Amino acid sequence: MINEDILRSIEEGYTLPGHQTAILRELRQKPKSIIVLDDDPTGTQTVYNIPVVTEWSEKTLERELKNSPIFFILTNSRSLQTEAANELGKLIGKRLKTISERLHKEIAVISRSDSTLRGHYPGEVNALIEGLGKPRAKHILAPAFFEGGRYTYNDIHYVKEDDVFIPAGETPFAEDNTFGYESSNLRDWIVEKYQGEVSPKQIKGISVKNLREESTYSLAKVLAEEKTTHIVVNATSKSDLQIMALTCLQHEGPLIYRTGASFVNALSGIAEKPCLTKEEVLGKNETGGALVIVGSYVPKTTQQLEYLKDNGDVTLLELDVTTVNDPVTFLQQLNRLTIQIDKAILANKNVVLYTSRTIIKGNTKAESLEIVNKVSEGLITIVQKLSHRPKYILAKGGITSSDIATKGLAVRRAKVLGQVLKGVPVWLLDEDAKFPDLPYIVFPGNVGDKKAVYELIELLK
């Protein structure tokens, strides 16, 4: 029955009027700069013509605040240990506070994270609040991400697989070695993540019915309730998020946002745009083979890799991760793979470098994350050593795509061109990167059906 209820809600949502004009009017009346702290690069999967920076010096933040109404800061905090992620949130918050006050700019800060609820919550969000100097800021939790099949209905967050809506707590994402959880109901999820330090009475939900039938004035009363500290946003359509965004923009008190990518468009008034064409992605990058790097281990990525192996006209190279704790053997393997990739690129062959599918676990969540980072460092080393420029690079997985960009390609600033598939952003790298003006495709591990990577490679042939 729940499937029919959600589908009906989605269909009704498409018939509702948009609210982008009202949001843009509100942003003009109360000018705000929107800053998105992205815990991996996949948060740019709904925007276009937007800058993303990968470092957060005061000089960089001031430049972007002066020139960009909205911009992304790629923190890659999901790859950090908890304490480091919290320290980073506090540091960036302090710098944004200092610079915005100096420039007399009002800011709205979004902590964009995984739409399947993985990440350092609530630690890095509370650290960000501390840095911003807004201890009474209420948390707006809106993980809905429609392009990836994520919906929140009756406070339960769902992952759509084919025609079935699965509660998030029953998916493989909830079994993550580092960020696992049990609750699908977001109110319960908040309590779980706070380990009981937040009372259920402090958490309120705004239902789809509320958003569609009540005025923003009425909705704002929930935000104004003194004892409410956390607000769960239900949403099955973009119009739902737009109404919530408009309510938030009209609210006078401090707010902090923990959201999926779809809310970024809602709060900024960015309209939908068709997916990029081959010509728009590649530009003048027409020679050389492409490099596809698959690091994500989620089941969806493995399915896509298997389909690609069976159907793709590509050179397949495996990085054996079982040698990661043997430095000599691991380095020898990296050197051999680098040579093979360079040869393939020079011969105009598309090459797929993938990590073996064996998951190496540590004894603790921290150790498991450390192993993931060691494997990522191996992929970074290969990219750093490449001699020949690929036609494009596609990186599969959040941590993988961030590390390849910032450490392998030395990206400091890029422009988000748009999406080549729904939920799959393309960056154009800046002139200081290892390969200037290279199209860099950030392919989230949990996006697309089993054919998606294969079809993307075919599209860009």
Side-chain angles (χ1 to χ4, degrees):
M1 185 66 179
I2 189 65
N3 275 12
E4 288 78 6
D5 290 343
I6 300 176
L7 283 170
R8 191 179 305 112
S9 178
I10 293 170
E11 290 169 2
E12 290 173 354
Y14 278 115
T15 67
L16 297 173
H19 303 275
Q20 290 165 344
T21 301
I23 289 168
L24 292 172
R25 183 171 60 246
E26 194 72 23
L27 285 170
R28 283 194 296 269
Q29 291 173 350
K30 300 178 182 178
K32 284 189 178 184
S33 294
I34 298 172
I35 302 120
V36 186
L37 275 65
D38 203 354
D39 74 355
D40 78 9
T42 64
T44 56
Q45 59 203 147
T46 58
V47 300
Y48 50 89
N49 296 330
I50 298 293
V52 53
V53 296
T54 67
E55 57 97 19
W56 35 88
S57 66
E58 289 199 19
K59 180 180 178 181
T60 294
L61 296 179
E62 183 164 345
R63 179 193 67 209
E64 298 303 334
L65 270 173
K66 282 181 177 178
N67 300 314
S68 307
I70 173 172
F71 67 95
F72 279 71
I73 305 171
L74 173 56
T75 66
N76 199 31
S77 60
R78 210 182 308 167
S79 71
L80 302 177
Q81 300 291 0
T82 301
E83 185 176 339
N86 295 348
E87 288 175 358
L88 180 58
K90 184 177 179 181
L91 172 66
I92 294 177
K94 280 184 175 180
R95 288 181 179 173
L96 289 174
K97 179 178 186 293
T98 299
I99 297 164
S100 62
E101 288 177 350
R102 184 163 67 235
L103 297 177
H104 304 289
K105 287 261 191 181
E106 190 174 355
I107 60 175
V109 181
I110 297 175
S111 173
R112 200 296 312 187
S113 191
D114 179 49
S115 62
T116 55
L117 307 179
R118 296 168 299 169
H120 292 289
Y121 186 83
E124 67 180 349
V125 177
N126 286 329
L128 181 59
I129 288 172
E130 183 181 352
L132 290 167
K134 297 183 177 181
R136 298 178 65 82
K138 298 178 187 292
H139 291 219
I140 305 294
L141 186 68
F145 171 49
F146 310 119
E147 293 81 355
R150 319 285 189 257
Y151 301 87
T152 310
Y153 187 75
N154 288 344
D155 294 335
I156 296 174
H157 194 53
Y158 291 93
V159 176
K160 186 173 183 286
E161 293 287 353
D162 298 321
D163 294 325
V164 180
F165 294 87
I166 304 169
E170 298 174 16
T171 67
F173 306 112
E175 299 171 6
D176 188 278
N177 290 334
T178 306
F179 302 113
Y181 56 91
E182 295 181 359
S183 304
S184 300
N185 183 299
L186 291 183
R187 295 199 203 194
D188 296 337
W189 181 83
I190 291 171
V191 174
E192 178 184 342
K193 286 296 176 179
Y194 270 90
Q195 298 182 339
E197 292 182 6
V198 164
S199 166
K201 293 180 180 180
Q202 296 174 246
I203 306 167
K204 290 293 177 67
I206 294 184
S207 70
V208 169
K209 182 179 173 66
N210 294 149
L211 290 165
R212 296 180 185 179
E213 296 183 2
E214 297 182 19
S215 67
T216 55
Y217 174 78
S218 176
L219 294 170
K221 291 180 180 178
V222 179
L223 275 63
E225 289 177 5
E226 187 175 347
K227 293 182 180 179
T228 299
T229 57
H230 296 71
I231 296 158
V232 168
V233 181
N234 288 273
T236 60
S237 77
K238 294 179 181 180
S239 181
D240 298 329
L241 292 183
Q242 288 172 354
I243 282 288
M244 189 65 209
L246 190 57
T247 301
C248 292
L249 288 173
Q250 293 171 349
H251 179 67
E252 296 297 332
L255 302 172
I256 194 78
Y257 304 93
R258 180 70 165 191
T259 80
S262 294
F263 190 80
V264 177
N265 292 61
L267 192 68
S268 60
I270 296 175
E272 285 187 271
K273 180 184 175 183
C275 288
L276 299 166
T277 64
K278 173 183 175 179
E279 292 71 26
E280 289 173 321
V281 173
L282 296 181
K284 297 179 181 178
N285 295 275
E286 297 177 352
T287 59
L291 173 58
V292 176
I293 302 173
V294 180
S296 168
Y297 286 94
V298 299
K300 180 165 285 190
T301 292
T302 300
Q303 291 172 4
Q304 292 167 344
L305 178 60
E306 291 305 314
Y307 190 89
L308 185 58
K309 286 180 180 180
D310 293 339
N311 298 278
D313 180 19
V314 294
T315 300
L316 293 159
L317 298 174
E318 181 182 78
L319 173 61
D320 182 3
V321 301
T322 61
T323 66
V324 71
N325 291 320
D326 181 347
V328 174
T329 302
F330 195 58
L331 182 58
Q332 288 173 342
Q333 184 182 191
L334 299 180
N335 291 335
R336 183 174 65 255
L337 288 168
T338 303
I339 293 169
Q340 291 174 296
I341 293 169
D342 264 327
K343 285 181 178 179
I345 291 171
L346 194 59
N348 293 313
K349 295 180 179 178
N350 292 337
V351 57
V352 177
L353 171 66
Y354 64 95
T355 53
S356 56
R357 300 291 89 186
T358 304
I359 297 177
I360 311 298
K361 295 184 180 181
N363 294 321
T364 65
K365 290 184 176 182
E367 286 182 8
S368 293
L369 184 57
E370 186 178 349
I371 291 169
V372 169
N373 287 332
K374 281 184 180 180
V375 174
S376 189
E377 286 166 10
L379 297 173
I380 291 163
T381 299
I382 290 172
V383 174
Q384 287 174 335
K385 291 184 175 183
L386 286 180
S387 300
H388 298 291
R389 176 193 179 97
K391 183 163 61 175
Y392 64 86
I393 292 180
L394 183 158
K396 190 82 168 76
I399 292 176
T400 300
S401 55
S402 178
D403 283 348
I404 295 300
T406 60
K407 300 172 184 177
L409 296 168
V411 177
R412 297 292 169 264
R413 190 177 194 269
K415 179 183 179 182
V416 183
L417 295 179
Q419 289 69 51
V420 63
L421 300 177
K422 281 190 175 182
V424 181
V426 181
W427 296 4
L428 187 65
L429 304 190
D430 65 0
E431 60 186 17
D432 296 324
K434 177 180 174 70
F435 298 121
D437 298 323
L438 179 80
Y440 183 65
I441 301 172
V442 179
F443 205 130
N446 56 15
V447 166
D449 62 18
K450 67 179 182 179
K451 298 180 181 180
V453 177
Y454 164 80
E455 290 176 342
L456 180 47
I457 293 172
E458 290 294 303
L459 172 68
L460 299 179
K461 268 189 173 180

